[in-house]
Amino acid sequence: MQYDGLIFDLDGTLWDACEAVARSWACTLRDVYGVTDPPSIDEIQSIMGLQSHEIAQRLFARYGSNPDEMAARCMCEECAHLEAHGAHLYPDVIITLRQLAEVYPLSIVSNCQKGYIESFLHFYHLEPLFADFVCEGGTGMPKADNIRLVMARNGMHHPAYIGDTQGDFEAAARAGAAFIWAAYGFGQALQAPLRINCFRELLTLVRK
C-alpha cells in the first residue's frame, strides 16, 4: 500500500519501558514520598498509552491527596533514567527503522510527557531517522489531534499510524490516517485491517 509517511506510537510499538519505568518510579516514590509499595510492572503496563491525568488517578491516588504532582515528579525523573539506561527495544527495531527511513519520513506521536520521546531518541541515537515527534505533554492535545498536527506540518496526506491499542486505532481513524496494529504490543485492536506480528514485518507491509 502507498503511504506518504509513517507515524509511530512508542510504548508497545517501538519499545517496552515498563521494567525501566517501574525501577525509576520505585526510587522516586521511596526517596521523595516514603512510599514502600510502588506500582508493579503489570500495573505500569496497564496504563501505557493513557494520558497523564488518567495515569495519576489510576496509580497514584492511593498514595495521597495530590496524585497529579506525584505522577508528574515520577514521570520527570523517569525521563532522566531512560535517557541514561534505555529500555527494552522490540527485536529489529533499529535496523528496520533505518531501512524505512530511506523511503518514508518517520515521526512519533505518543501520549507521554515532554522528554520521554527525546530519551528514546537520544539513548539509541535515532534523532537523524525521525522528521518529527509530538507528545500530549507538549501540546496538551489528544492523540488524534497530535497525529493531525504531524500530518499537517509534514505535508502528509496518506500516512499510516503504527500502534498497539484500540485507542491508537480510533485516534488514527479520527485523524484520517491508515492504521497498522502492532499485535505484539500491550493492547488489542482486533478491528484493524492491517497487523504486524513483529516489527520487521513492516518492511513487507509498507513496501512501495
Side-chain angles (χ1 to χ4, degrees), residues 96-113:
T96 301
L97 287 173
R98 286 175 178 160
Q99 293 178 65
L100 292 170
E102 294 176 357
V103 183
Y104 298 97
L106 308 182
S107 303
I108 297 174
V109 172
S110 174
N111 281 343
C112 61
Q113 70 273 31

Side-chain angles (χ1 to χ4, degrees), residues 117-171:
I117 298 174
E118 293 92 329
S119 298
F120 165 78
L121 296 175
H122 180 78
F123 184 82
Y124 296 105
H125 309 291
L126 295 176
E127 293 95 337
L129 299 185
F130 286 89
D132 202 356
F133 62 86
V134 175
C135 67
E136 181 260 340
T139 66
M141 298 190 302
K143 183 168 282 186
D145 291 342
N146 285 329
I147 295 172
R148 288 192 198 97
L149 175 62
V150 166
M151 291 169 62
R153 67 190 189 188
N154 291 277
M156 298 178 187
H157 301 285
H158 306 289
Y161 185 75
I162 300 94
D164 67 303
T165 68
Q166 180 68 21
D168 292 336
F169 174 54
E170 293 170 358

